[in-house]
Amino acid sequence: MNLEKIMSDLEKKNPGEVEFLQAVREVLESIQDVYNENPHFESANIIERIIEPDRVLMFKVSWVDDSGKVHVNRGYRIQFNNAIGPYKGGLRFHPSVNLSILKFLGFEQIFKNSLTTLPMGGAKGGSDFDPKGKSNAEIMRFCQGFMLELWKLIGPETDVPAGDIGVGGREIGFLYGMYKKLARENSGVLTGKGLNWGGSLIRPEATGFGAVYFAKEMLATKGETFKGKTVCISGFGNVAWGAALKATELGAKVVTISGPDGYIYDQDGISGEKIDYLLELRASNQDIVKPYSYEFPGAQFHQGKRPWEVKCDIALPCATQNELGKEDARTLVTNGVQCVAEGANMPSTPEAIEVFLENKILFAPGKAVNAGGVATSGLEMSQNSMKLSWPLKEVDERLHHIMCSIHDQCVKHGKGKDGYVNYVKGANVAGFLKVANAMIDQGII
Ligand code: NDP
Ligand code: 2IT
């Protein structure tokens, strides 16, 4: 594999798509050896075929705000690869959304979904619509306008979207309502649905729970547990909430959360009613964490700063891409961090990852750590197909089992001669092999 040539060709074809190029480089670097050892991949030109999305849909969404003003946003769906199952992946509504971000997320999703052990291909979508400060009615009208275009492309056996940043249960409800009306079918076409209309128990918590189950396995390789550990979490959304809940349940103390405005340090631990409060804060559509320090006066708000300066044993970045840089990584290492598990997608920059790997820190990438979210979406799809609803214990046990299996795959493909597990390599190789072999089995299409 001529990595530099592939990357420079990709850059020419996708100018300025920095996040997409970053995600592709990381995967290709990891799989280089295994790719070169298996010439049948090269004869089927797997690399060029896997880094090009199957199709990209870009569409206009016009909607009317409460004052009667007309707005136009851009909607997207990237169907990246369906070698192992129907396209699957979330929708992100955030003003920063562009083609590069959605392509990076769609590309990552191929390998993440492959790791889950379930038959799901990779996709992502969303819009540059900003939910901040919008009324319920405005969110509904936007979701309906978005689905008016998207419904033609999706279906329970072809492409099954879900939530991501800015898309939670409420948005999935509005999107599902419109899909159902247009397609005249009541199928499990979206996941993350409400419990009364086809949703699965545990799905809201699944990404955060799964991340902690995965980190628990990482710690176990060193004979360690969550009990008594100090945990720093970034973000205060769906993933951060689930992670805080499970880490606390396992006996750890979560001391930070963060938003775009700064971070909260709560030395007494973010547990109990404080975790419930996170949901309230997120639902307020204000997108700031500062109010936490008014609600719980023992906590301090640090404006414009990231939580990585706080001394901790375990760090769980759960906000957004490239939120943890080289200097943050150095600070964490200097302060004695033992384990860094990515709840968000690609939150650490390549330079930060290098620092963790050089210092032999237990470090695992989002595509392994946060796969519990999409895995539980897969379990929701199974329940919808069977027209059944599994009890909480069954879904949680399946999720736990899947996370342990992802951990095993990472160890199998990432363990070096010195015993150190490179989870980045392990996750990329394991995820890649399954998809690449499926592509070969199915011929050139
Ligand atoms: P949410 O919308 O629930 O929350 C994301 C949170 O992070 C928001 O509060 C957001 O605020 C905040 N945030 C954004 N940028 C920053 C920043 N620079 N510093 C601190 N906080 C910031 O999204 P999710 O919790 O669903 O998603 C979080 C991450 O997890 C994303 O990377 C997502 O792709 C990933 N993920 C989500 C899954 C899911 O099932 N939901 C599954 C797997 C991964 P604001 O909106 O104001 O920017
Ligand atoms: O990044 C992700 O894996 C998600 N946002 C969840 C996708 C899904 O289909 O549940």
Side-chain angles (χ1 to χ4, degrees), residues 63-190:
W63 59 280
V64 185
D65 72 18
D66 289 346
S67 70
K69 194 165 175 244
V70 181
H71 299 262
V72 176
N73 282 99
R74 191 170 272 183
Y76 305 84
R77 186 71 179 165
I78 322 286
Q79 296 184 330
F80 224 114
N81 185 297
N82 67 350
I84 63 166
Y87 300 107
K88 180 84 194 90
L91 299 171
R92 177 177 290 193
F93 292 171
H94 196 272
S96 65
V97 160
N98 58 31
L99 207 49
S100 170
I101 289 179
L102 295 182
K103 274 163 72 179
F104 117 65
L105 289 162
F107 183 70
E108 290 282 287
Q109 201 81 41
I110 304 172
F111 308 101
K112 183 195 304 194
N113 293 3
S114 164
L115 288 168
T116 64
T117 73
L118 304 173
M120 299 183 290
K124 201 82 187 188
S127 173
D128 58 1
F129 171 74
D130 186 0
K132 194 181 293 183
K134 302 290 186 300
S135 72
N136 210 42
E138 287 171 334
I139 301 269
M140 181 180 76
R141 286 195 292 274
F142 177 79
C143 288
Q144 292 174 339
F146 186 87
M147 189 51 89
L148 215 46
E149 282 294 327
L150 186 68
W151 80 280
K152 301 167 204 160
L153 205 71
I154 61 175
E157 306 297 340
T158 47
D159 184 354
V160 183
D164 192 78
I165 292 181
V167 178
R170 174 182 57 171
E171 290 75 17
I172 294 293
F174 295 147
L175 290 163
Y176 189 73
M178 195 61 177
Y179 176 86
K180 207 176 62 161
K181 199 173 175 72
L182 293 163
R184 297 191 299 146
E185 63 175 38
N186 215 329
S187 61
V189 72
L190 294 157

